Amino acid sequence: MSASASRKAQAASFLHTRRADISGDLLQDVKEGLKFARSLPGKNKSLIYVGDGLLGRRDVEGPLAEIRAMNTEKVAINTIGVNPYQHAEAFLKMLAAENGGTYRRIGTVQ
């Protein structure tokens, strides 16, 4: 699916109808995003996580394994770190890389 002007307008319209259901827990929010992606039609699906990347713990392999197991539809997970802490930025990079996405940073690493 290309990012034509028409498709961008459709995406913007869709996003304006959605309510942000965020828990403040990165792992839970990504899991909810993956559940929602399952309900969408089509094959090429993607998710964008925007935040500081903090997990509330230093263990990253556990959350990565949970997401890996849940992402059976190969949803591309793109991440944007907003003023991330160094260890959180590393996690966001791994999350994107393992799930066919890209990582970008806004602001500085703390």
Side-chain angles (χ1 to χ4, degrees), residues 75-78 95-102:
V75 174
I77 300 176
N78 300 286
L95 178 60
E98 285 191 10
N99 291 281
T102 59

Side-chain angles (χ1 to χ4, degrees), residues 3-20:
S4 66
S6 173
R7 293 209 189 271
K8 288 178 184 178
Q10 288 174 340
S13 177
F14 171 77
L15 291 173
H16 285 292
T17 67
R18 303 304 304 167
R19 184 172 70 90

Side-chain angles (χ1 to χ4, degrees), residues 3 5 12 18 23 32 50 55 67 72 78 89-90 92 97:
R18 303 304 304 167
S23 69
E32 287 300 316
V50 179
L55 282 165
I67 293 167
T72 57
N78 300 286
E89 182 175 50
L92 292 174

